[in-house]
Amino acid sequence: MKKVILGLSALCMVAFTSCKEDAASKIKTENIAVAAERDANAGDFPVISLDKKEHDFGSIENGTPVETTFKYTNTGNSLLVVSNIKSTCGCTVPSNWTKEVAPGETGEFAVKFNGKGNGKVSKSITMTTNTESGKEIVKISASVQADPNAPAKAATPAQKAGKATINPLSTDASAAPRKSSTQPGHEGHNHD
């Protein structure tokens, strides 16, 4: 058994040694230079600087579309690529963005908000980039006022005119429902 193991070990050593020599002969010096340059620049990400990270539209009427523009500058040393911009919902639409920004150059994108909602509304927009973090987030907000021309909300069943509501926890005897019998011959008899 020992002879078999020694024989297999010797065969494996010969095989690995011959592969090592062949692999070393296949390496091209130009590929080494390209890999060294790539590794030296691996930490050199583009840097995005936004003119603003938030935009408040202030008070707007419900259903009123509004728009703003976000500008960004590449303050890094390599090409900035903005591959996608999306919002948290369909009522906020980012569009027309600069996809590639050279170092020192500026790009922009527009954001349209349809102004629907009630009260303070805030939305996030995510930019997918080739920066070190991989994404940048900007926000828009507005205080949406009710539309004065909108129809009034329908009253809830408890609020309809002519309908009384009874509080089962009330101690007021006049508010309690009156009991009447449903047995034949007892019609109209109250059983308080």
Side-chain angles (χ1 to χ4, degrees), residues 51-159:
D51 67 334
K52 57 187 173 184
K53 290 209 174 220
E54 293 184 24
H55 180 82
D56 188 352
F57 289 108
S59 181
I60 62 172
E61 211 172 278
N62 191 6
T64 303
V66 289
E67 183 175 339
T68 188
T69 301
F70 286 90
K71 294 184 180 190
Y72 47 94
T73 303
N74 180 357
T75 56
N77 295 322
S78 56
L79 181 69
L80 170 67
V81 178
V82 180
S83 58
N84 193 15
I85 301 177
K86 63 181 179 177
S87 68
T88 53
C89 74
C91 62
T92 307
V93 182
S95 61
N96 300 330
W97 71 85
T98 309
K99 296 185 191 259
E100 294 184 353
V101 181
E105 297 295 317
T106 300
E108 64 182 33
F109 68 95
V111 176
K112 294 178 184 177
F113 174 59
N114 74 358
K116 297 211 180 215
N118 189 16
K120 188 72 171 175
V121 178
S122 181
K123 304 292 178 185
S124 294
I125 297 108
T126 303
M127 302 172 66
T128 304
T129 64
N130 65 333
T131 58
E132 189 170 8
S133 68
K135 66 179 179 177
E136 302 296 325
I137 297 175
V138 296
K139 295 182 178 187
I140 60 166
S141 60
S143 180
V144 182
Q145 305 304 314
D147 183 359
N149 299 325
K153 289 185 179 180
T156 61
Q159 297 172 333

